[in-house]
Amino acid sequence: MPIYVSAPNKTEFMVNLVELMVEYNGTLPGSNIPNAVVGDGAFWTLAVGMLAMGLATDPAQVLKYLKKPVGPLIGMLCQFVIMPCLAMIFLSAASIGTYEALVIMLYGCAPGGGISNIIIYYMGGDLDLSIAMTMLSCVLALGLTPAWLQVVPLMVDSKEEITIPFEEIGTTLAAVIVPALIGSFINWLGQRYNFRKIVKIANIFLAGAASLTVIAIVIIGIYKYYLTAIITVSQLVYATFLPFFGFGIASLLSFSVIKLLGKCGKDFKFDTLQHMTIGVETAVQNGRMVNAITLVLYSAKEKLYENSSTFFFPIIAISFQIVFGFVLIAFLRIPFFRNKIARKEEKDFGMKNIAFTEN
């Protein structure tokens, strides 16, 4: 896999591409795999995954979070202020080209996606809070994500105009919200008409299928596109550390805000896993939306250089999101840490896995 210290210019890229075509006799590995396997496959996997998450979601609890949105508002502050600012700091510190800057900034100000919900589901976090945050961030993203992208030309001293494909943003976000709502409604029906066991079985099956399919699509995407992708050290560093930085900052901010509210006489109760849920939802961005936008902007043949500069980064980012998820889930499944969290909840609240309340 070619990894550049800094992105090559257009001429250097075309020379390298010609050399690759000669080396592989005109047919690059993976070129026989249809683009739809990665693009459409990711879309439908996202939809199925969110349906599975909805099946494990209590609509009443989600509504409760939205009515008293302390947790979601902390998450939105992290999602649309802190994460974009981290992206801007990185763009200022590293040597980044215009198209790399676009995709990095887009990733930094993207809303939460399906992978965050899946990670929270398997780590035993507060899925109701996660879904509430995802829905709210998807609505806000329609205005805030395009607004943040206007910063990109200023950060890289470029006069290139960035066109925002609102239709693609809306379609991708609908793939998150609509299946989650449908799944949540089915879960409500299951509780009301006593077929909860069937809902639970469907939830386990669909969640597992979506998780495995995401991993498979990432592997296929890497195989199909890695030879023609412009991958820089800066992209790898950013994709590697952003989930961990975002998680740490958001979790700490959540803990601090709840403590501060307590000092002010507002008794909002959050357990450790709820703080971590806000951290995960902030840290794991909607890579599918980033991919969809860049693909629309630079899918034309005459924009091969631009496409190669942007298309592969979401695959890298999603790969490290999955690594982050595995690390966090493995950490929380270690009996010592799990029991320590449970003991802290019992000490603070007098019970385990307490739901969000305001007294």
Side-chain angles (χ1 to χ4, degrees):
M1 180 181 293
I3 299 175
Y4 303 92
V5 175
S6 59
N9 60 40
K10 195 169 186 175
T11 301
E12 292 171 336
F13 170 75
M14 295 308 296
V15 170
N16 291 338
L17 183 60
V18 170
E19 290 175 352
L20 279 173
M21 296 299 289
V22 171
E23 181 180 350
Y24 288 96
N25 298 319
T27 303
L28 297 178
S31 59
N32 60 330
I33 301 174
N35 292 335
V37 172
V38 178
D40 294 346
F43 178 87
W44 290 110
T45 300
L46 172 63
V48 171
M50 292 308 300
L51 176 63
M53 297 304 99
L55 292 174
T57 301
D58 182 355
Q61 188 63 28
V62 173
L63 187 60
K64 186 176 180 180
Y65 280 125
L66 294 176
K67 285 182 176 179
K68 299 177 181 177
V70 176
L73 288 179
I74 295 171
M76 296 309 99
L77 173 64
C78 296
Q79 193 98 53
F80 293 112
V81 177
I82 292 177
M83 296 298 276
C85 287
L86 286 177
M88 290 175 63
I89 292 170
F90 184 81
L91 292 176
S92 300
S95 177
I96 301 291
T98 301
Y99 303 109
E100 285 183 284
L102 170 65
V103 75
I104 285 175
M105 191 67 197
L106 179 55
Y107 181 64
C109 62
I115 293 179
S116 63
N117 305 122
I118 292 174
I119 292 173
I120 290 164
Y121 172 79
Y122 281 113
M123 80 181 208
D126 191 332
L127 189 59
D128 299 317
L129 174 59
S130 175
I131 293 294
M133 288 180 62
T134 296
M135 291 180 177
L136 186 57
S137 69
C138 285
V139 173
L140 294 178
L142 292 171
L144 293 177
T145 297
W148 272 111
L149 290 183
Q150 304 309 310
V151 176
V152 174
L154 303 177
M155 297 296 299
V156 294
D157 192 24
S158 171
K159 296 181 180 179
E160 180 168 335
E161 183 178 352
I162 297 174
T163 304
I164 308 300
F166 288 98
E167 182 178 346
E168 289 300 319
I169 295 177
T171 301
T172 302
L173 299 184
V176 173
I177 295 177
V178 174
L181 289 174
I182 293 173
S184 184
F185 178 67
I186 294 173
N187 185 23
W188 176 80
L189 289 177
Q191 294 176 12
R192 186 178 179 88
Y193 296 106
N194 200 27
F195 57 91
R196 286 176 292 182
K197 289 185 178 179
I198 297 175
V199 173
K200 186 174 182 179
I201 292 171
N203 162 248
I204 294 171
F205 174 78
L206 291 176
S211 302
L212 293 175
T213 306
V214 166
I215 296 172
I217 288 175
V218 168
I219 293 172
I220 293 170
I222 291 173
Y223 175 72
K224 178 173 174 59
Y225 298 110
Y226 77 96
L227 281 175
T228 57
I230 295 177
I231 307 165
T232 64
V233 173
S234 296
Q235 291 179 27
L236 291 174
V237 169
Y238 184 74
T240 302
F241 291 105
L242 185 66
F244 295 95
F245 274 115
F247 173 77
I249 292 172
S251 299
L252 181 60
L253 180 63
S254 174
F255 178 82
S256 301
V257 169
I258 297 301
K259 281 289 185 183
L260 181 61
L261 289 173
K263 297 281 186 181
C264 297
K266 298 289 186 178
D267 190 17
F268 291 101
K269 295 181 178 180
F270 267 42
D271 64 26
T272 303
L273 287 175
Q274 287 173 310
H275 293 305
M276 296 179 76
T277 294
I278 292 174
V280 173
E281 192 65 32
T282 300
V284 180
Q285 314 287 77
N286 194 327
R288 170 65 180 78
M289 190 187 81
V290 179
N291 177 269
I293 292 175
T294 55
L295 191 61
V296 168
L297 290 176
Y298 305 125
S299 60
K301 290 183 178 179
E302 65 271 14
K303 293 188 175 181
L304 181 61
Y305 173 73
E306 292 83 349
N307 183 54
S308 296
S309 300
T310 58
F311 181 78
F312 201 79
F313 177 77
I315 298 176
I316 299 173
I318 292 172
S319 299
F320 284 105
Q321 287 178 6
I322 293 172
V323 171
F324 165 76
F326 273 122
V327 170
L328 186 60
I329 292 167
F331 174 81
L332 289 174
R333 293 302 177 184
I334 296 174
F336 171 79
F337 294 108
R338 192 76 186 186
N339 292 337
K340 191 172 183 179
I341 291 173
R343 287 196 297 271
K344 185 179 184 305
E345 291 174 10
E346 285 187 293
K347 179 181 178 181
D348 291 345
F349 305 121
M351 59 188 296
K352 296 181 182 180
N353 298 322
I354 190 167
F356 168 68
T357 60
E358 180 189 8
N359 294 332

